[in-house]
Amino acid sequence: DPLKENMAAISVGMVGGVPLLDLCYEEDFAAATDMNVVMTQSDRFVEVQGTAEETPYTAAELDQMLKLAGKGIRELLAAQSAALAGWSP
């Protein structure tokens, strides 16, 4: 099996000083910081790409966004596993 482990991606950002997960278009447009995060099921990062659109973000805000992204990615991975549980090739 060439598949090593599952992975998922999600967007996160700071909108009005609040970290938000899975930004819609309007939230993305209004975000002071916009970030895309890709992680594996073992919590290893594949990609982290973040841009300060208005003002630079702090290390504390980065930590908040990464924790929120990790939570969202774990939820996506659980949904992937549930969807694949009954599947067979």
Side-chain angles (χ1 to χ4, degrees), residues 72-88:
I73 286 173
R74 284 187 289 281
E75 290 176 12
L76 289 171
L77 290 168
Q80 288 176 4
S81 293
L84 293 173
W87 182 80
S88 64

Side-chain angles (χ1 to χ4, degrees), residues 17-83:
V18 177
L20 295 180
L21 186 66
D22 195 21
L23 303 176
C24 69
Y25 175 80
E26 291 81 12
E27 292 165 339
D28 184 63
F29 185 77
T33 301
D34 177 24
M35 183 174 289
N36 298 310
V37 179
V38 183
M39 293 175 71
T40 66
Q41 68 188 32
S42 61
D43 287 338
R44 296 176 61 90
F45 292 100
V46 174
E47 178 183 6
V48 176
Q49 182 274 320
T51 304
E53 302 290 346
E54 294 176 6
T55 58
Y57 49 92
T58 67
E61 290 170 328
L62 175 61
D63 190 46
Q64 285 180 315
M65 290 184 287
L66 289 176
K67 284 181 181 179
L68 185 58
K71 179 182 180 296
I73 286 173
R74 284 187 289 281
E75 290 176 12
L76 289 171
L77 290 168
Q80 288 176 4
S81 293

Side-chain angles (χ1 to χ4, degrees), residues 4-25:
K4 302 282 186 222
E5 62 183 313
N6 292 336
M7 66 181 196
I10 201 157
S11 65
V12 65
M14 296 297 286
V15 180
V18 177
L20 295 180
L21 186 66
D22 195 21
L23 303 176
C24 69
Y25 175 80

